[in-house]
Amino acid sequence: MAIIPVPKPNRSAYNPNRPLRSNALVAAQVQHFAEADKNLPAEFQTGVEAATIQTEGEAATYIRKVTEAIHRIPKVRGAG
Amino acid sequence: MSVGLQNLQHIVVLMMENRSFDHMLGSLRADDPRINGLTGHETNTDTTNEPAPVLPQAEFQSQLDPDPDHAFPAVHQQLFYGTPGPPGPPAMNGFVQNYYAQEKNVSHSRKIMYYFPESKLPVLTTLAKNYALFNGWFSSIPGPTLCNRAFAHYGTSFGNVGMNVFYYSKQYLSIYERLVNAGHSAKLYYFDTASSSLEVVNLLQNQPALFGTYDQFLEDCQTGNLPEYSFIEPNYSDHAETDGSEQIASDQHPDHDVQQGEVFISTVYNAIRNNPTLWKSTALLVVYDEHGGIFDHVPPPSCVPDGFSAAPDQTQVPGLTFLFDRLGVRVPAILISPWVAKGTVVPGPEDPVNGRVFEHASIPATATSYFLGTYAARSPRELQAKTFLDLLTDQMRAEDDCPVFGS
């Protein structure tokens, strides 16, 4: 069978400055990561005020920090 | 048990975001009348009382901006506009009305009826035509992402109809915990740490070892280390990697680029397809979490109640208590395996004799049934949910009968 080509989007599709208010999912994700951030041991908390996050790119930077902090915590939580 | 089922060692689920069946695959009816897509005559009434028809004019990006409302009260209007409301049947006539509320622009509101011609979605339509396409796979709740995704992980949303989902350590375990506790392997693969998981307040912060990245998924496919059960989350945001490279969101959530989602689906498929050992022992389900406010013509059916209720202060629909006894809007769902007969169309509610209705609780129901057998501690919805591994046959298709996508 012939290989089926898969067109890629234009680079103009990339917009990390897209306002968070236009994507309810990422906005909710930021709120949930703020909850998780608060639950981290003090030395792992990011200190970022989630309410200041305005764009998808900023959200991703914050989410990366919290995710990496979660994975750095010693495995004291159940099977984690 | 079929030979395909005897060979099955891995179930992989890829859950995309916010597109309805008709929007993505409705065009396929033109060539195959078994597919319950669009005739081209479906309409909704716009706010000037004119019919807004379905049209094959969907674009990859910038058309559904702002993000169409798909919170519970919005979906309620999309389903029941012009009717007395539940328990009567949905008329599916409120999509344009509802989208109008966001921009107050009649022309823009009619775009909620647009669908993709087959030629614009070569990956999804190729998979739909080559493997098993479900005519009757519905989102679990007429509401937004997180309560719907909860059904894929837990077989229930624990009474939630919205985006605030805090249910770790409640009465039903996630499918991952069930499997790991029984000595099986399971993993959620998020795209990268900047996109991460939608399960952060539940599984990620409590069970981080259950998670891996998409790069790890690709490596696990290549090295033969894929767990028995895998769930893949696409990239939810446009963001820069730490090395400065640009990542375009691949979840297809409006207003993210649909083509990048096509690329992502093809890489997941190819990762399995290109490892012969994995290919013959894996079933891949590609499914969307909910419709994202976009038109579909099939009224969601009723279902067994889930044992929970959402009061009017939660549904945000005056006087409406929701008993989790009817499903959300229909979404694309395709089961992929060389053991699936080419061109399988699984009939849905349009076939009152042979039709079967699936929803996201079918995912943990299938994985639990296959890997664990009898397992009582599940939600009423999951216990009643249809499973789908009977679609694996005795005949493995030839190598050149299964498509491959370019990289």
Side-chain angles (χ1 to χ4, degrees), chain B residues 91-139:
Chain B
M92 313 304 282
N93 191 32
F95 290 85
V96 176
Q97 297 279 336
N98 184 257
Y99 199 34
Y100 174 82
Q102 290 181 247
E103 290 283 285
K104 306 284 193 263
N105 178 323
V106 174
S107 174
H108 184 252
S109 69
R110 294 164 69 100
K111 295 178 180 177
I112 207 73
M113 303 296 289
Y114 289 0
Y115 65 97
F116 284 99
E118 179 182 344
S119 59
K120 290 185 85 168
L121 303 180
V123 175
L124 198 67
T125 58
T126 294
L127 295 174
K129 294 196 299 185
N130 277 273
Y131 297 101
L133 173 62
F134 295 85
N135 268 347
W137 193 298
F138 293 81
S139 51

Side-chain angles (χ1 to χ4, degrees), chain B residues 72-73 161 309-323:
Chain B
F72 192 96
V161 294
S309 66
D313 66 324
Q314 296 169 280
T315 65
Q316 300 290 304
V317 177
L320 179 68
T321 296
F322 183 58
L323 300 177

Side-chain angles (χ1 to χ4, degrees), chain B residues 202-260:
Chain B
N202 299 301
L203 289 172
L204 179 57
Q205 70 172 0
N206 292 292
Q207 303 263 353
L210 288 173
F211 289 79
T213 63
Y214 185 61
D215 282 346
Q216 186 183 345
F217 169 79
L218 296 175
E219 185 180 325
D220 289 347
C221 286
Q222 205 166 27
T223 57
N225 287 311
L226 199 66
E228 290 165 290
Y229 182 74
S230 306
F231 187 93
I232 301 172
E233 299 189 69
N235 177 14
Y236 300 117
S237 61
D238 289 0
H239 61 264
E241 295 290 9
T242 49
D243 64 3
S245 61
E246 298 175 348
Q247 290 290 355
I248 300 176
S250 58
D251 60 353
Q252 297 183 329
H253 186 297
D255 187 39
H256 291 156
D257 193 281
V258 171
Q259 266 190 321
Q260 186 65 20

Side-chain angles (χ1 to χ4, degrees), chain A:
Chain A
M1 177 174 277
I3 292 177
I4 299 164
V6 182
K8 292 182 170 59
N10 294 327
R11 292 313 303 175
S12 61
Y14 178 71
N15 180 16
N17 297 319
R18 185 179 292 113
L20 211 53
R21 65 176 181 276
S22 69
N23 186 328
L25 180 61
V26 179
Q29 203 185 10
V30 167
Q31 289 178 16
H32 292 162
F33 272 83
E35 286 292 325
D37 196 359
K38 279 188 267 181
N39 292 336
L40 292 170
E43 64 272 30
F44 289 91
Q45 291 181 9
T46 66
V48 173
E49 177 52 60
T52 64
I53 295 171
Q54 300 293 323
T55 68
E56 267 185 35
E58 292 169 7
T61 300
Y62 175 60
I63 287 168
R64 177 186 288 127
K65 284 180 183 171
V66 179
T67 300
E68 290 177 353
I70 288 170
H71 285 296
R72 279 201 310 273
I73 296 173
K75 294 177 180 175
V76 295
R77 288 174 170 164

